[in-house]
Amino acid sequence: MQALSDDTFRRVSEIMYEAIGLSFSQSKKPLISSRLASRIHKIGLPSFEAYVDLLEDHNQAAEFQMAVDLLTTNETYFFREPKHYELLEQDLLRRKDRGPLAVWSAASSFGDEAYSTAMLLSDMQRKGQLGPDWSILGTDISHRVLLSAAEGIYPQDRLRHVPQEQMHRYCLQGEGPATGQVMMQESLRAHVRFGQLNLTKSFEGLGPFDVIFLRNVLIYFDTPTKIAVVDRVLATLRPGGLFFMGTAEGRVPCKTRLEALIPGAYRKAA
Protein backbone atom coordinates (compact mmCIF):
# COMPACT_ATOMS: atom_id res chain seq x y z
CA MET A 1 0.00 0.00 0.00
CA GLN A 2 1.32 3.43 -0.93
CA ALA A 3 2.11 5.97 1.78
CA LEU A 4 -0.52 8.41 2.97
CA SER A 5 -0.27 11.40 0.64
CA ASP A 6 -0.59 15.00 1.78
CA ASP A 7 -3.81 15.41 -0.23
CA THR A 8 -5.41 12.35 1.35
CA PHE A 9 -4.24 13.42 4.80
CA ARG A 10 -5.97 16.75 4.24
CA ARG A 11 -9.16 14.94 3.21
CA VAL A 12 -9.12 12.90 6.42
CA SER A 13 -8.48 16.02 8.48
CA GLU A 14 -11.31 17.95 6.79
CA ILE A 15 -13.77 15.08 7.24
CA MET A 16 -13.00 14.72 10.93
CA TYR A 17 -13.03 18.45 11.58
CA GLU A 18 -16.35 19.03 9.82
CA ALA A 19 -18.06 16.05 11.43
CA ILE A 20 -16.83 16.10 15.04
CA GLY A 21 -14.39 19.00 15.41
CA LEU A 22 -11.19 16.90 15.57
CA SER A 23 -8.22 19.00 14.49
CA PHE A 24 -5.04 17.35 13.17
CA SER A 25 -1.87 19.31 12.44
CA GLN A 26 0.62 18.13 9.83
CA SER A 27 2.69 16.59 12.62
CA LYS A 28 -0.15 14.09 13.21
CA LYS A 29 0.18 12.62 9.72
CA PRO A 30 2.36 9.64 10.82
CA LEU A 31 -0.09 8.88 13.65
CA ILE A 32 -3.09 8.89 11.30
CA SER A 33 -1.21 6.76 8.79
CA SER A 34 -0.24 4.11 11.33
CA ARG A 35 -3.66 3.91 12.97
CA LEU A 36 -5.62 3.64 9.72
CA ALA A 37 -3.25 1.33 7.84
CA SER A 38 -4.09 -1.80 9.84
CA ARG A 39 -7.82 -1.14 9.45
CA ILE A 40 -7.48 -0.62 5.70
CA HIS A 41 -5.57 -3.88 5.39
CA LYS A 42 -8.12 -5.73 7.53
CA ILE A 43 -11.12 -4.75 5.39
CA GLY A 44 -9.24 -5.42 2.17
CA LEU A 45 -9.07 -1.97 0.61
CA PRO A 46 -6.16 -1.15 -1.71
CA SER A 47 -5.26 2.35 -0.51
CA PHE A 48 -5.77 5.24 1.91
CA GLU A 49 -7.66 7.02 -0.87
CA ALA A 50 -10.18 4.19 -1.13
CA TYR A 51 -10.69 4.25 2.63
CA VAL A 52 -11.36 7.99 2.64
CA ASP A 53 -13.91 7.45 -0.14
CA LEU A 54 -15.59 5.00 2.24
CA LEU A 55 -15.61 7.55 5.07
CA GLU A 56 -17.27 10.12 2.81
CA ASP A 57 -20.11 7.70 2.10
CA HIS A 58 -22.98 8.61 4.46
CA ASN A 59 -24.21 5.02 4.29
CA GLN A 60 -21.01 3.90 6.04
CA ALA A 61 -21.72 5.42 9.47
CA ALA A 62 -20.41 2.35 11.29
CA GLU A 63 -17.05 2.56 9.52
CA PHE A 64 -16.86 6.28 10.20
CA GLN A 65 -17.36 5.52 13.90
CA MET A 66 -14.59 2.95 13.70
CA ALA A 67 -12.25 5.59 12.26
CA VAL A 68 -13.15 7.98 15.08
CA ASP A 69 -12.26 5.30 17.62
CA LEU A 70 -8.93 4.65 15.91
CA LEU A 71 -7.97 8.32 15.78
CA THR A 72 -8.85 9.24 19.35
CA THR A 73 -7.20 8.03 22.55
CA ASN A 74 -9.38 6.54 25.28
CA GLU A 75 -6.72 5.70 27.90
CA THR A 76 -8.21 6.19 31.34
CA TYR A 77 -8.53 4.63 34.78
CA PHE A 78 -10.54 4.99 37.98
CA PHE A 79 -9.98 8.05 40.19
CA ARG A 80 -7.65 9.73 37.72
CA GLU A 81 -6.49 13.07 39.18
CA PRO A 82 -7.56 12.26 42.77
CA LYS A 83 -7.33 15.89 43.94
CA HIS A 84 -10.43 16.60 41.88
CA TYR A 85 -12.44 13.97 43.74
CA GLU A 86 -11.15 15.27 47.07
CA LEU A 87 -12.27 18.78 46.15
CA LEU A 88 -15.66 17.51 45.01
CA GLU A 89 -16.20 15.68 48.30
CA GLN A 90 -15.19 18.73 50.36
CA ASP A 91 -17.46 20.99 48.35
CA LEU A 92 -20.45 18.66 48.72
CA LEU A 93 -19.86 18.38 52.47
CA ARG A 94 -20.24 22.17 52.72
CA ARG A 95 -23.57 22.11 50.92
CA LYS A 96 -26.54 22.79 53.15
CA ASP A 97 -28.98 21.48 50.56
CA ARG A 98 -29.08 17.68 50.24
CA GLY A 99 -31.54 17.78 47.38
CA PRO A 100 -31.00 16.43 43.86
CA LEU A 101 -27.46 16.44 42.49
CA ALA A 102 -26.72 16.14 38.76
CA VAL A 103 -23.22 15.36 37.44
CA TRP A 104 -22.11 15.30 33.81
CA SER A 105 -19.05 13.39 32.61
CA ALA A 106 -18.92 15.15 29.24
CA ALA A 107 -16.14 13.07 27.66
CA SER A 108 -16.77 9.86 29.54
CA SER A 109 -14.80 7.44 27.37
CA PHE A 110 -15.17 3.93 28.86
CA GLY A 111 -16.96 5.24 31.96
CA ASP A 112 -14.11 5.12 34.49
CA GLU A 113 -14.69 8.75 35.45
CA ALA A 114 -18.45 8.35 35.79
CA TYR A 115 -18.23 5.24 37.97
CA SER A 116 -15.43 6.74 40.08
CA THR A 117 -17.72 9.68 40.81
CA ALA A 118 -20.59 7.29 41.52
CA MET A 119 -18.49 5.45 44.10
CA LEU A 120 -17.70 8.72 45.86
CA LEU A 121 -21.32 9.89 45.88
CA SER A 122 -22.62 6.50 46.98
CA ASP A 123 -20.17 6.48 49.90
CA MET A 124 -21.35 9.95 50.90
CA GLN A 125 -24.97 8.83 50.72
CA ARG A 126 -24.21 5.83 52.97
CA LYS A 127 -22.75 8.21 55.55
CA GLY A 128 -25.79 10.48 55.42
CA GLN A 129 -23.75 13.26 53.80
CA LEU A 130 -25.73 13.22 50.56
CA GLY A 131 -29.33 12.52 49.70
CA PRO A 132 -30.35 9.56 47.51
CA ASP A 133 -31.42 11.70 44.55
CA TRP A 134 -28.18 11.95 42.61
CA SER A 135 -27.43 11.01 39.04
CA ILE A 136 -24.50 10.91 36.63
CA LEU A 137 -24.70 11.32 32.86
CA GLY A 138 -21.76 10.10 30.80
CA THR A 139 -21.49 11.16 27.14
CA ASP A 140 -18.94 10.51 24.42
CA ILE A 141 -18.62 10.73 20.65
CA SER A 142 -17.66 7.05 20.40
CA HIS A 143 -20.51 4.55 20.29
CA ARG A 144 -18.07 1.70 20.91
CA VAL A 145 -16.74 3.04 24.21
CA LEU A 146 -20.28 3.87 25.37
CA LEU A 147 -21.39 0.28 24.84
CA SER A 148 -18.47 -0.83 26.99
CA ALA A 149 -19.25 1.80 29.63
CA ALA A 150 -22.86 0.68 29.90
CA GLU A 151 -21.71 -2.89 30.56
CA GLY A 152 -19.55 -1.65 33.43
CA ILE A 153 -16.89 -4.39 33.06
CA TYR A 154 -13.21 -3.48 33.45
CA PRO A 155 -9.77 -5.09 33.70
CA GLN A 156 -8.87 -5.08 37.38
CA ASP A 157 -5.76 -2.99 36.74
CA ARG A 158 -7.95 -0.05 35.72
CA LEU A 159 -9.16 0.06 39.34
CA ARG A 160 -5.66 0.03 40.85
CA HIS A 161 -6.35 3.29 42.72
CA VAL A 162 -9.68 2.13 44.17
CA PRO A 163 -9.43 1.25 47.90
CA GLN A 164 -10.18 -2.39 48.71
CA GLU A 165 -13.20 -1.42 50.81
CA GLN A 166 -14.80 0.26 47.80
CA MET A 167 -13.83 -2.65 45.57
CA HIS A 168 -15.71 -5.06 47.84
CA ARG A 169 -18.70 -2.73 48.10
CA TYR A 170 -19.19 -1.80 44.46
CA CYS A 171 -17.51 -4.45 42.30
CA LEU A 172 -18.13 -8.08 41.43
CA GLN A 173 -14.93 -10.09 40.93
CA GLY A 174 -14.74 -12.23 37.80
CA GLU A 175 -14.10 -15.96 38.06
CA GLY A 176 -12.98 -18.63 35.60
CA PRO A 177 -12.61 -17.10 32.11
CA ALA A 178 -13.47 -13.69 33.61
CA THR A 179 -10.66 -13.79 36.19
CA GLY A 180 -8.91 -10.42 36.30
CA GLN A 181 -12.07 -8.52 35.39
CA VAL A 182 -14.57 -6.71 37.61
CA MET A 183 -18.16 -5.58 37.05
CA MET A 184 -19.84 -2.59 38.63
CA GLN A 185 -22.64 -3.53 41.03
CA GLU A 186 -26.17 -2.86 39.77
CA SER A 187 -26.81 -0.58 42.77
CA LEU A 188 -24.06 1.71 41.44
CA ARG A 189 -24.97 1.44 37.77
CA ALA A 190 -28.55 2.44 38.56
CA HIS A 191 -27.35 6.00 39.18
CA VAL A 192 -25.33 6.23 35.94
CA ARG A 193 -26.54 6.48 32.35
CA PHE A 194 -24.67 6.94 29.09
CA GLY A 195 -25.49 8.55 25.77
CA GLN A 196 -23.74 9.54 22.56
CA LEU A 197 -23.05 13.25 22.12
CA ASN A 198 -20.96 15.39 19.79
CA LEU A 199 -19.65 18.29 21.87
CA THR A 200 -19.06 20.42 18.77
CA LYS A 201 -22.77 20.40 17.86
CA SER A 202 -25.76 21.96 19.61
CA PHE A 203 -27.15 20.01 22.58
CA GLU A 204 -30.03 22.16 23.76
CA GLY A 205 -32.15 20.80 26.57
CA LEU A 206 -29.27 19.19 28.45
CA GLY A 207 -28.81 20.04 32.12
CA PRO A 208 -28.72 21.91 34.32
CA PHE A 209 -25.84 20.24 36.16
CA ASP A 210 -24.21 20.88 39.53
CA VAL A 211 -20.86 19.35 38.53
CA ILE A 212 -19.26 18.89 35.10
CA PHE A 213 -16.13 16.95 34.15
CA LEU A 214 -14.65 17.89 30.76
CA ARG A 215 -11.22 16.33 31.10
CA ASN A 216 -8.61 15.38 28.52
CA VAL A 217 -10.72 15.94 25.41
CA LEU A 218 -9.92 19.52 24.38
CA ILE A 219 -6.53 18.43 23.04
CA TYR A 220 -8.35 17.25 19.92
CA PHE A 221 -9.79 20.69 19.08
CA ASP A 222 -8.35 23.90 17.66
CA THR A 223 -8.63 27.09 19.74
CA PRO A 224 -11.93 28.46 18.32
CA THR A 225 -13.57 25.04 18.73
CA LYS A 226 -12.23 24.74 22.29
CA ILE A 227 -13.78 28.07 23.27
CA ALA A 228 -17.12 27.23 21.65
CA VAL A 229 -17.24 23.78 23.27
CA VAL A 230 -16.32 24.96 26.77
CA ASP A 231 -18.77 27.86 26.75
CA ARG A 232 -21.53 25.58 25.42
CA VAL A 233 -20.80 23.04 28.16
CA LEU A 234 -20.61 25.70 30.87
CA ALA A 235 -24.01 27.05 29.82
CA THR A 236 -25.48 23.85 31.31
CA LEU A 237 -23.68 24.31 34.66
CA ARG A 238 -25.55 25.98 37.49
CA PRO A 239 -24.01 29.20 38.89
CA GLY A 240 -21.67 28.16 41.69
CA GLY A 241 -21.24 24.69 40.17
CA LEU A 242 -17.90 22.88 39.85
CA PHE A 243 -16.11 22.44 36.51
CA PHE A 244 -13.16 20.08 36.02
CA MET A 245 -10.61 19.94 33.21
CA GLY A 246 -7.45 17.86 32.88
CA THR A 247 -4.64 19.42 34.92
CA ALA A 248 -2.27 19.17 31.94
CA GLU A 249 -4.63 21.05 29.60
CA GLY A 250 -3.52 24.50 30.72
CA ARG A 251 -5.72 27.55 31.09
CA VAL A 252 -9.41 27.00 30.46
CA PRO A 253 -10.39 28.46 27.06
CA CYS A 254 -13.75 30.19 27.47
CA LYS A 255 -15.59 33.47 27.87
CA THR A 256 -17.67 32.28 30.84
CA ARG A 257 -16.53 33.70 34.18
CA LEU A 258 -14.84 31.08 36.36
CA GLU A 259 -13.04 31.07 39.69
CA ALA A 260 -9.89 28.93 39.76
CA LEU A 261 -9.76 26.59 42.77
CA ILE A 262 -6.93 24.09 42.23
CA PRO A 263 -5.21 22.99 39.02
CA GLY A 264 -7.92 21.85 36.62
CA ALA A 265 -10.82 22.77 38.94
CA TYR A 266 -13.06 25.84 38.71
CA ARG A 267 -16.27 27.28 40.08
CA LYS A 268 -18.74 29.01 37.78
CA ALA A 269 -19.39 32.58 38.83
CA ALA A 270 -22.74 33.13 40.49
Side-chain angles (χ1 to χ4, degrees):
M1 186 167 59
Q2 291 185 341
L4 176 63
S5 68
D6 287 343
D7 286 343
T8 305
F9 167 71
R10 280 193 290 271
R11 286 177 66 194
V12 173
S13 299
E14 289 169 1
I15 290 169
M16 291 297 167
Y17 184 80
E18 181 180 346
I20 58 175
L22 290 184
S23 180
F24 297 113
S25 63
Q26 185 69 25
S27 65
K28 297 294 185 182
K29 182 181 171 184
L31 173 69
I32 289 180
S33 176
S34 64
R35 292 195 175 183
L36 294 184
S38 59
R39 178 62 182 170
I40 292 169
H41 177 74
K42 184 174 183 178
I43 62 178
L45 290 179
S47 65
F48 286 103
E49 289 74 15
Y51 188 68
V52 178
D53 290 341
L54 194 68
L55 296 183
E56 289 179 331
D57 185 347
H58 294 297
N59 294 319
Q60 297 292 330
E63 188 59 41
F64 178 81
Q65 186 64 60
M66 177 64 70
V68 171
D69 290 342
L70 290 170
L71 297 178
T72 55
T73 302
N74 293 300
E75 196 280 331
T76 185
Y77 50 87
F78 278 61
F79 289 102
R80 187 177 183 178
E81 308 205 52
K83 293 293 183 184
H84 288 176
Y85 294 99
E86 293 173 12
L87 175 66
L88 174 58
E89 181 177 16
Q90 293 165 6
D91 193 77
L92 292 176
L93 286 173
R94 288 193 292 267
R95 281 182 44 158
K96 297 179 181 179
D97 178 17
R98 294 188 181 175
L101 179 74
V103 179
W104 182 17
S105 175
S108 62
S109 186
F110 288 102
D112 306 53
E113 180 178 85
Y115 288 122
S116 298
T117 308
M119 288 181 182
L120 169 63
L121 300 186
S122 185
D123 274 353
M124 295 186 70
Q125 180 187 339
R126 290 179 64 255
K127 298 173 185 175
Q129 298 166 338
L130 187 70
D133 191 4
W134 56 270
S135 63
I136 299 170
L137 171 66
T139 63
D140 200 276
I141 186 66
S142 171
H143 180 64
R144 179 177 64 91
V145 302
L146 290 169
L147 289 177
S148 179
E151 289 181 344
I153 300 174
Y154 298 92
Q156 192 161 337
D157 182 63
R158 293 264 285 279
L159 288 85
R160 56 190 177 272
H161 298 304
V162 178
Q164 281 301 310
E165 185 179 347
Q166 284 183 317
M167 286 282 288
H168 292 314
R169 186 177 301 130
Y170 299 121
C171 305
L172 297 172
Q173 300 286 333
E175 299 178 350
T179 299
Q181 295 184 320
V182 296
M183 174 184 276
M184 300 297 104
Q185 292 271 17
E186 176 58 32
S187 60
L188 197 71
R189 291 161 57 197
H191 286 274
V192 185
R193 62 188 177 95
F194 294 95
Q196 192 170 25
L197 182 72
N198 185 342
L199 290 169
T200 68
K201 307 296 183 182
S202 174
F203 43 82
E204 294 180 5
L206 203 62
F209 298 100
D210 302 286
V211 180
I212 295 178
F213 291 88
L214 184 69
R215 302 193 297 183
N216 307 303
V217 69
L218 297 178
I219 56 172
Y220 297 115
F221 304 140
D222 60 16
T223 299
T225 305
K226 287 179 182 179
I227 295 172
V229 166
V230 174
D231 280 325
R232 189 181 298 119
V233 167
L234 287 172
T236 70
L237 183 63
R238 298 182 191 276
L242 293 179
F243 176 65
F244 296 99
M245 287 177 51
T247 55
E249 294 184 279
R251 186 174 180 178
V252 58
C254 68
K255 299 176 182 177
T256 307
R257 288 177 53 228
L258 297 172
E259 173 194 359
L261 302 175
I262 61 174
Y266 306 84
R267 189 182 307 281
K268 184 177 179 180

PDB file of all heavy atoms in Angstrom, residues 247-264:
ATOM      1  N   THR A 247      -5.618  18.475  34.353  1.00  0.00           N
ATOM      2  CA  THR A 247      -4.639  19.416  34.916  1.00  0.00           C
ATOM      3  C   THR A 247      -3.539  19.758  33.913  1.00  0.00           C
ATOM      4  O   THR A 247      -2.892  20.803  34.041  1.00  0.00           O
ATOM      5  CB  THR A 247      -3.993  18.828  36.179  1.00  0.00           C
ATOM      6  OG1 THR A 247      -3.420  17.543  35.874  1.00  0.00           O
ATOM      7  CG2 THR A 247      -5.028  18.665  37.285  1.00  0.00           C
ATOM      8  N   ALA A 248      -3.321  18.902  32.920  1.00  0.00           N
ATOM      9  CA  ALA A 248      -2.268  19.174  31.937  1.00  0.00           C
ATOM     10  C   ALA A 248      -2.775  19.977  30.748  1.00  0.00           C
ATOM     11  O   ALA A 248      -2.009  20.268  29.826  1.00  0.00           O
ATOM     12  CB  ALA A 248      -1.674  17.860  31.440  1.00  0.00           C
ATOM     13  N   GLU A 249      -4.047  20.375  30.760  1.00  0.00           N
ATOM     14  CA  GLU A 249      -4.628  21.051  29.604  1.00  0.00           C
ATOM     15  C   GLU A 249      -4.426  22.564  29.621  1.00  0.00           C
ATOM     16  O   GLU A 249      -4.840  23.253  28.694  1.00  0.00           O
ATOM     17  CB  GLU A 249      -6.125  20.726  29.508  1.00  0.00           C
ATOM     18  CG  GLU A 249      -6.382  19.267  29.201  1.00  0.00           C
ATOM     19  CD  GLU A 249      -7.855  18.952  29.019  1.00  0.00           C
ATOM     20  OE1 GLU A 249      -8.555  18.779  30.044  1.00  0.00           O
ATOM     21  OE2 GLU A 249      -8.310  18.878  27.870  1.00  0.00           O
ATOM     22  N   GLY A 250      -3.813  23.073  30.682  1.00  0.00           N
ATOM     23  CA  GLY A 250      -3.523  24.497  30.723  1.00  0.00           C
ATOM     24  C   GLY A 250      -4.735  25.335  31.095  1.00  0.00           C
ATOM     25  O   GLY A 250      -5.716  24.847  31.658  1.00  0.00           O
ATOM     26  N   ARG A 251      -4.657  26.616  30.733  1.00  0.00           N
ATOM     27  CA  ARG A 251      -5.718  27.555  31.087  1.00  0.00           C
ATOM     28  C   ARG A 251      -7.014  27.229  30.355  1.00  0.00           C
ATOM     29  O   ARG A 251      -7.001  26.873  29.183  1.00  0.00           O
ATOM     30  CB  ARG A 251      -5.263  28.975  30.728  1.00  0.00           C
ATOM     31  CG  ARG A 251      -6.216  30.062  31.178  1.00  0.00           C
ATOM     32  CD  ARG A 251      -5.614  31.428  30.921  1.00  0.00           C
ATOM     33  NE  ARG A 251      -6.503  32.491  31.343  1.00  0.00           N
ATOM     34  CZ  ARG A 251      -6.200  33.786  31.262  1.00  0.00           C
ATOM     35  NH1 ARG A 251      -5.028  34.151  30.766  1.00  0.00           N
ATOM     36  NH2 ARG A 251      -7.061  34.695  31.671  1.00  0.00           N
ATOM     37  N   VAL A 252      -8.121  27.343  31.057  1.00  0.00           N
ATOM     38  CA  VAL A 252      -9.406  26.995  30.462  1.00  0.00           C
ATOM     39  C   VAL A 252      -9.770  28.014  29.388  1.00  0.00           C
ATOM     40  O   VAL A 252      -9.766  29.225  29.618  1.00  0.00           O
ATOM     41  CB  VAL A 252     -10.512  26.903  31.546  1.00  0.00           C
ATOM     42  CG1 VAL A 252     -10.655  28.200  32.322  1.00  0.00           C
ATOM     43  CG2 VAL A 252     -11.836  26.510  30.930  1.00  0.00           C
ATOM     44  N   PRO A 253     -10.060  27.541  28.153  1.00  0.00           N
ATOM     45  CA  PRO A 253     -10.386  28.461  27.058  1.00  0.00           C
ATOM     46  C   PRO A 253     -11.887  28.737  26.988  1.00  0.00           C
ATOM     47  O   PRO A 253     -12.655  27.922  26.471  1.00  0.00           O
ATOM     48  CB  PRO A 253      -9.922  27.677  25.825  1.00  0.00           C
ATOM     49  CG  PRO A 253     -10.125  26.243  26.216  1.00  0.00           C
ATOM     50  CD  PRO A 253      -9.975  26.153  27.714  1.00  0.00           C
ATOM     51  N   CYS A 254     -12.324  29.869  27.515  1.00  0.00           N
ATOM     52  CA  CYS A 254     -13.752  30.186  27.474  1.00  0.00           C
ATOM     53  C   CYS A 254     -13.966  31.658  27.782  1.00  0.00           C
ATOM     54  O   CYS A 254     -13.060  32.376  28.214  1.00  0.00           O
ATOM     55  CB  CYS A 254     -14.523  29.322  28.476  1.00  0.00           C
ATOM     56  SG  CYS A 254     -14.166  29.699  30.210  1.00  0.00           S
ATOM     57  N   LYS A 255     -15.189  32.108  27.549  1.00  0.00           N
ATOM     58  CA  LYS A 255     -15.587  33.472  27.869  1.00  0.00           C
ATOM     59  C   LYS A 255     -16.406  33.520  29.160  1.00  0.00           C
ATOM     60  O   LYS A 255     -16.603  34.591  29.721  1.00  0.00           O
ATOM     61  CB  LYS A 255     -16.393  34.054  26.712  1.00  0.00           C
ATOM     62  CG  LYS A 255     -15.604  34.118  25.405  1.00  0.00           C
ATOM     63  CD  LYS A 255     -16.469  34.610  24.249  1.00  0.00           C
ATOM     64  CE  LYS A 255     -15.689  34.617  22.938  1.00  0.00           C
ATOM     65  NZ  LYS A 255     -16.537  35.029  21.786  1.00  0.00           N
ATOM     66  N   THR A 256     -16.884  32.369  29.604  1.00  0.00           N
ATOM     67  CA  THR A 256     -17.665  32.283  30.841  1.00  0.00           C
ATOM     68  C   THR A 256     -16.780  32.588  32.042  1.00  0.00           C
ATOM     69  O   THR A 256     -15.628  32.147  32.101  1.00  0.00           O
ATOM     70  CB  THR A 256     -18.256  30.867  30.988  1.00  0.00           C
ATOM     71  OG1 THR A 256     -18.968  30.526  29.800  1.00  0.00           O
ATOM     72  CG2 THR A 256     -19.183  30.790  32.196  1.00  0.00           C
ATOM     73  N   ARG A 257     -17.311  33.327  33.004  1.00  0.00           N
ATOM     74  CA  ARG A 257     -16.531  33.701  34.179  1.00  0.00           C
ATOM     75  C   ARG A 257     -16.401  32.505  35.127  1.00  0.00           C
ATOM     76  O   ARG A 257     -17.392  31.898  35.528  1.00  0.00           O
ATOM     77  CB  ARG A 257     -17.190  34.876  34.909  1.00  0.00           C
ATOM     78  CG  ARG A 257     -17.066  36.195  34.168  1.00  0.00           C
ATOM     79  CD  ARG A 257     -17.791  37.316  34.901  1.00  0.00           C
ATOM     80  NE  ARG A 257     -17.362  37.417  36.292  1.00  0.00           N
ATOM     81  CZ  ARG A 257     -18.196  37.501  37.328  1.00  0.00           C
ATOM     82  NH1 ARG A 257     -19.508  37.472  37.129  1.00  0.00           N
ATOM     83  NH2 ARG A 257     -17.722  37.615  38.559  1.00  0.00           N
ATOM     84  N   LEU A 258     -15.136  32.190  35.469  1.00  0.00           N
ATOM     85  CA  LEU A 258     -14.837  31.079  36.359  1.00  0.00           C
ATOM     86  C   LEU A 258     -13.874  31.516  37.447  1.00  0.00           C
ATOM     87  O   LEU A 258     -13.031  32.383  37.235  1.00  0.00           O
ATOM     88  CB  LEU A 258     -14.207  29.922  35.576  1.00  0.00           C
ATOM     89  CG  LEU A 258     -15.030  29.249  34.483  1.00  0.00           C
ATOM     90  CD1 LEU A 258     -14.161  28.276  33.703  1.00  0.00           C
ATOM     91  CD2 LEU A 258     -16.232  28.528  35.068  1.00  0.00           C
ATOM     92  N   GLU A 259     -13.987  30.865  38.593  1.00  0.00           N
ATOM     93  CA  GLU A 259     -13.042  31.069  39.689  1.00  0.00           C
ATOM     94  C   GLU A 259     -12.135  29.844  39.775  1.00  0.00           C
ATOM     95  O   GLU A 259     -12.619  28.713  39.917  1.00  0.00           O
ATOM     96  CB  GLU A 259     -13.793  31.246  41.015  1.00  0.00           C
ATOM     97  CG  GLU A 259     -12.878  31.295  42.236  1.00  0.00           C
ATOM     98  CD  GLU A 259     -13.634  31.140  43.541  1.00  0.00           C
ATOM     99  OE1 GLU A 259     -14.872  31.015  43.521  1.00  0.00           O
ATOM    100  OE2 GLU A 259     -12.959  31.130  44.594  1.00  0.00           O
ATOM    101  N   ALA A 260     -10.830  30.043  39.660  1.00  0.00           N
ATOM    102  CA  ALA A 260      -9.888  28.929  39.757  1.00  0.00           C
ATOM    103  C   ALA A 260      -9.782  28.464  41.205  1.00  0.00           C
ATOM    104  O   ALA A 260      -9.641  29.276  42.124  1.00  0.00           O
ATOM    105  CB  ALA A 260      -8.526  29.354  39.230  1.00  0.00           C
ATOM    106  N   LEU A 261      -9.825  27.156  41.426  1.00  0.00           N
ATOM    107  CA  LEU A 261      -9.761  26.588  42.773  1.00  0.00           C
ATOM    108  C   LEU A 261      -8.430  25.871  42.990  1.00  0.00           C
ATOM    109  O   LEU A 261      -7.634  26.275  43.831  1.00  0.00           O
ATOM    110  CB  LEU A 261     -10.939  25.638  42.990  1.00  0.00           C
ATOM    111  CG  LEU A 261     -12.338  26.267  42.815  1.00  0.00           C
ATOM    112  CD1 LEU A 261     -13.420  25.204  42.937  1.00  0.00           C
ATOM    113  CD2 LEU A 261     -12.555  27.379  43.831  1.00  0.00           C
ATOM    114  N   ILE A 262      -8.202  24.810  42.250  1.00  0.00           N
ATOM    115  CA  ILE A 262      -6.930  24.091  42.232  1.00  0.00           C
ATOM    116  C   ILE A 262      -6.656  23.779  40.769  1.00  0.00           C
ATOM    117  O   ILE A 262      -7.530  23.980  39.923  1.00  0.00           O
ATOM    118  CB  ILE A 262      -6.974  22.794  43.078  1.00  0.00           C
ATOM    119  CG1 ILE A 262      -8.031  21.828  42.522  1.00  0.00           C
ATOM    120  CG2 ILE A 262      -7.229  23.102  44.548  1.00  0.00           C
ATOM    121  CD1 ILE A 262      -8.048  20.464  43.207  1.00  0.00           C
ATOM    122  N   PRO A 263      -5.460  23.285  40.418  1.00  0.00           N
ATOM    123  CA  PRO A 263      -5.207  22.986  39.018  1.00  0.00           C
ATOM    124  C   PRO A 263      -6.285  22.094  38.394  1.00  0.00           C
ATOM    125  O   PRO A 263      -6.580  21.012  38.901  1.00  0.00           O
ATOM    126  CB  PRO A 263      -3.850  22.264  39.057  1.00  0.00           C
ATOM    127  CG  PRO A 263      -3.155  22.886  40.231  1.00  0.00           C
ATOM    128  CD  PRO A 263      -4.241  23.097  41.244  1.00  0.00           C
ATOM    129  N   GLY A 264      -6.894  22.606  37.330  1.00  0.00           N
ATOM    130  CA  GLY A 264      -7.918  21.854  36.620  1.00  0.00           C
ATOM    131  C   GLY A 264      -9.318  21.934  37.200  1.00  0.00           C
ATOM    132  O   GLY A 264     -10.247  21.321  36.669  1.00  0.00           O
TER     133      GLY A 264
END
